[in-house]
Amino acid sequence: MPLLGVPLGPLRILLVEDSIEDAELISDQLLESGLEAQFERMDSEAGLLAALAQGAPDIVLSDLSMPGFSGYQALHIVRELRPRVPFIFVSGTMGEENAVEALHEGASDYIIKHLPMRLPSAVARAIREARSEQEQSRVEDELMRAQRLESLALLAAGLSHDLRNILQPLLIVPDLIRDRSDDPKVTRLADVIAESGRRGHEMVDSMLSFVRGSRQSSERVCMERLFQAVGLLLKSSLPSSIELRLEVEDEQLAVEGNFTELQQVLINLGLNAIQAMPDGGQLRLAATRVPAAEGGEQLCIRVVDQGTGMDETTLQRLFTPFFTTKSAGTGLGLVSSRRIIESLGGAITVHSTPGQGTCFDLQLPLNVQLPADEQAAAARIPVGRGQRVLVVDDEAMRLSLLGNALSSQGYRLHLAIDGAAALRHFQEAGLPDVVLVDGEIPLLSAGQLLAEMHALGYRGPAIVLEGESARAFAKTPPPPGIRVHVLPKPLEMQRVFRAVADALEIG
Ligand code: ADP
Ligand code: MG
């Protein structure tokens, strides 16, 4: 008798059975039906424990009573040690009361030995059900994990921002203290404060790069494949009262993004929709091309349910972290979905009518070159190996920030608040490998400073920060022997790193 449905693969089946003949009868019958399986027979607690210790079997088939051991004991042990493994009683003496109690105690089914026709299909069904439950909890676990990471990222991002503001004075005040006092004790204290500030900033930076590091890489995501995967994953959570419809306009439809992240968004929206339809209904996911506001076309993914819908208050708080109306909700699904969609240059909109249902629209740009991932760009910029960088800037905050950022890139930093301080520095410590100078420093201008440096023998490169209005070399042009790179303000750290690396010709 061939078994219905997809083959279940080679199975490991435990038979808790004292009669060798009965065990053979059962295994023969299962093998004849087309099941592929290996059987292990035991009739004692020790035997069962040993077999379970070797790993989870696909199913346990157990007799009700054996000398010195009982089917109920076996059931309790299996439920305790392997709660997901299905358990079927196969007994000659199973009365109706016993059967009811068996199911109550957590057995998946019961079969009467003398009427064994039902055995193969009951075994196959129990295994299929157990596997689908396992798949569902795997999907849910995965989602929970992603959402926990998301909340961590949110916390870290918020914390980094606040910490930066708090640490700011620690970077500026020490310079001010040094300027106001020659007392070596006071300068040493200032150094201690500056060092703590620098370390604090480094920690904040590494926290932020950790958060950004959790960003995924970008690839071409084909909608058809994405929908197939989402369909498979949602199926395990889909009650029979809900009809799932997946519609993709054509198989060419694709966006730049990360498959796993987009899948996470659709699962989030899909599960929300399923949870909003306790009485059933239709869940529709549709991907189409729609005209974009700025001309051309964009992708629209629509997730539509016929569920409870939302009132105005819920709609307003939907994307607030930790906002949930569910007893077991995390309130992070939509926050994280929005972050993912927006990071791809897209947008999420919602329409909902209480009592009728909800429609989430995801708009995503089609065929657009994504802005290069900040983190990847930073990784490609070569870092320094202790080259000496002199930064001359009269704005104390920018000076400190540049100093900190560049020293975290592996350079040795010297900071000067004006041209005079820079010249003093050369007398004490010699010339640097590269000089980064603000084009608007007062008194000694950038051009004059470079000329002085040239006179002292400096032939290295110079990076000059230039504001929108003021030309850096309006009065004094730079000496011909010095290569000048101009960096426009406002500054972006990545561009500064790049300019310094280029100027030093490293990498
Ligand atoms: P969670 O699902 O953990 O509650 P979400 O961020 O995914 O967190 O959703 C936040 C809240 O938004 C939900 O608790 C629910 O009140 C509401 N919501 C989201 N999607 C739907 C929907 N399709 N229908 C009705 N309410 C929804
Ligand atoms: Mg959710």
Side-chain angles (χ1 to χ4, degrees):
M1 180 176 73
L3 204 69
L4 299 171
V6 208
L8 291 163
L11 302 173
R12 177 169 173 247
I13 298 180
L14 303 191
L15 299 175
V16 185
E17 174 64 77
D18 59 322
S19 148
I20 296 177
E21 298 90 66
D22 282 4
E24 267 174 12
L25 218 69
I26 293 172
S27 48
D28 283 352
Q29 181 157 27
L30 289 175
L31 292 174
E32 265 170 37
S33 77
L35 272 183
E36 209 186 314
Q38 280 194 333
F39 298 88
E40 289 165 46
R41 189 185 67 84
M42 68 280 314
D43 56 6
S44 67
E45 183 172 340
L48 180 61
L49 288 175
L52 290 176
Q54 279 172 29
D58 290 289
I59 194 165
V60 178
L61 306 179
S62 173
D63 195 1
L64 204 54
S65 57
M66 290 147 276
F69 195 38
S70 88
Y72 284 111
Q73 276 173 289
L75 177 60
H76 287 153
I77 290 172
V78 173
R79 282 290 149 267
E80 178 83 23
L81 297 180
R82 301 284 180 189
R84 292 189 204 281
V85 170
F87 187 106
I88 294 182
F89 277 116
V90 186
S91 164
T93 55
M94 196 117 197
E96 190 134 341
E97 271 162 42
N98 271 338
V100 171
E101 195 192 338
L103 294 181
H104 188 70
E105 299 269 321
S108 320
D109 207 343
Y110 63 90
I111 307 287
I112 309 296
K113 267 184 196 167
H114 307 298
L115 298 166
M117 277 82 77
R118 218 163 63 77
L119 184 64
S121 60
V123 166
R125 200 185 64 205
I127 292 177
R128 284 214 175 88
E129 278 175 8
R131 283 184 184 173
S132 119
E133 261 168 39
Q134 220 163 326
E135 174 64 12
Q136 175 174 354
S137 72
R138 198 187 60 77
V139 174
E140 279 161 10
D141 286 353
E142 182 56 32
L143 204 66
M144 284 297 272
R145 198 190 58 80
Q147 292 186 349
R148 266 202 299 272
L149 261 184
E150 190 66 34
S151 58
L152 208 65
L154 271 173
L155 270 175
L159 214 62
S160 310
H161 181 78
D162 292 347
L163 273 177
R164 275 206 170 159
N165 288 339
I166 292 171
L167 288 172
Q168 200 64 61
L170 295 196
L171 296 177
I172 301 164
V173 169
D175 286 335
L176 302 179
I177 294 177
R178 281 192 210 100
D179 282 352
R180 276 168 181 67
S181 170
D182 290 329
D183 183 345
K185 274 190 201 148
V186 173
T187 5
R188 220 171 307 134
L189 286 177
D191 289 344
V192 171
I193 299 178
E195 177 61 16
S196 309
R198 201 181 55 72
R199 290 242 298 275
H201 261 264
E202 265 174 27
M203 280 168 65
V204 171
D205 285 345
S206 60
M207 200 147 91
L208 269 180
S209 69
F210 161 75
V211 175
R212 294 209 194 96
S214 61
R215 286 289 330 280
Q216 305 290 321
S217 63
S218 170
E219 60 198 328
R220 198 177 154 76
V221 180
C222 166
M223 284 304 117
E224 187 126 314
R225 260 193 61 220
L226 180 68
F227 271 41
Q228 265 169 17
V230 170
L232 270 177
L233 290 172
L234 282 181
K235 254 186 204 137
S236 56
S237 308
L238 208 63
S240 53
S241 59
I242 295 182
E243 181 204 356
L244 175 64
R245 284 182 59 179
L246 301 170
E247 302 165 5
V248 177
E249 191 175 281
D250 63 76
E251 65 268 27
Q252 300 297 320
L253 207 50
V255 280
E256 285 290 322
N258 176 272
F259 191 93
T260 318
E261 284 192 338
L262 284 171
Q263 176 176 291
Q264 189 191 320
V265 171
L266 294 186
I267 300 269
N268 262 322
L269 297 182
L271 285 180
N272 280 345
I274 291 171
Q275 285 156 1
M277 293 190 285
D279 302 326
Q282 190 192 67
L283 165 58
R284 192 169 138 253
L285 273 74
T288 49
R289 289 187 177 81
V290 295
E294 59 279 8
E297 285 185 323
Q298 61 180 6
L299 171 73
C300 174
I301 303 181
R302 191 160 267 197
V303 181
V304 193
D305 68 54
Q306 300 175 331
T308 53
M310 289 173 259
D311 57 22
E312 202 47 46
T313 348
T314 307
L315 272 173
Q316 269 166 17
R317 304 182 59 194
L318 214 51
F319 293 100
T320 316
F322 308 114
F323 170 75
T324 178
T325 55
K326 302 165 193 170
S327 54
T330 61
L332 288 168
L334 290 176
V335 188
S336 96
S337 302
R338 184 162 75 174
R339 181 191 64 82
I340 291 170
I341 295 302
E342 288 182 352
S343 77
L344 298 174
I348 295 195
T349 47
V350 196
H351 305 277
S352 187
T353 316
Q356 288 187 22
T358 302
C359 169
F360 279 86
D361 270 350
L362 312 180
Q363 254 107 27
L364 284 166
L366 275 172
N367 314 321
V368 177
Q369 205 60 43
L370 287 173
D373 189 11
E374 234 176 286
Q375 190 67 17
R380 282 195 302 273
I381 298 175
V383 292
R385 287 212 191 82
Q387 290 94 333
R388 285 161 306 155
V389 181
L390 171 70
V391 183
V392 191
D393 196 333
D394 64 315
E395 206 180 288
M397 187 179 314
R398 195 167 54 219
L399 183 66
S400 303
L401 284 176
L402 279 170
N404 279 302
L406 284 167
S407 61
S408 73
Q409 281 287 104
Y411 300 104
R412 218 148 22 109
L413 259 295
H414 301 285
L415 306 182
I417 198 85
D418 54 27
L423 291 177
R424 256 202 322 277
H425 173 78
F426 300 140
Q427 281 158 12
E428 290 159 19
L431 291 163
D433 296 309
V434 60
V435 57
L436 198 153
V437 54
D438 180 23
E440 292 165 86
I441 47 170
L443 306 174
L444 203 61
S445 75
Q448 285 168 326
L449 174 64
L450 293 183
E452 290 290 334
M453 288 177 73
H454 190 258
L456 287 169
Y458 183 73
R459 298 291 179 270
I463 299 168
V464 177
L465 317 180
E466 198 172 65
E468 257 175 31
S469 49
R471 293 273 147 256
F473 300 111
K475 290 193 204 111
T476 319
I482 292 184
R483 243 178 328 120
V484 176
H485 301 242
V486 174
L487 260 188
K489 288 192 262 186
L491 288 183
E492 269 170 45
M493 279 309 160
Q494 303 297 336
R495 285 202 347 249
V496 174
F497 295 160
R498 167 67 63 199
V500 172
D502 286 350
L504 289 168
E505 292 172 7
I506 52 177

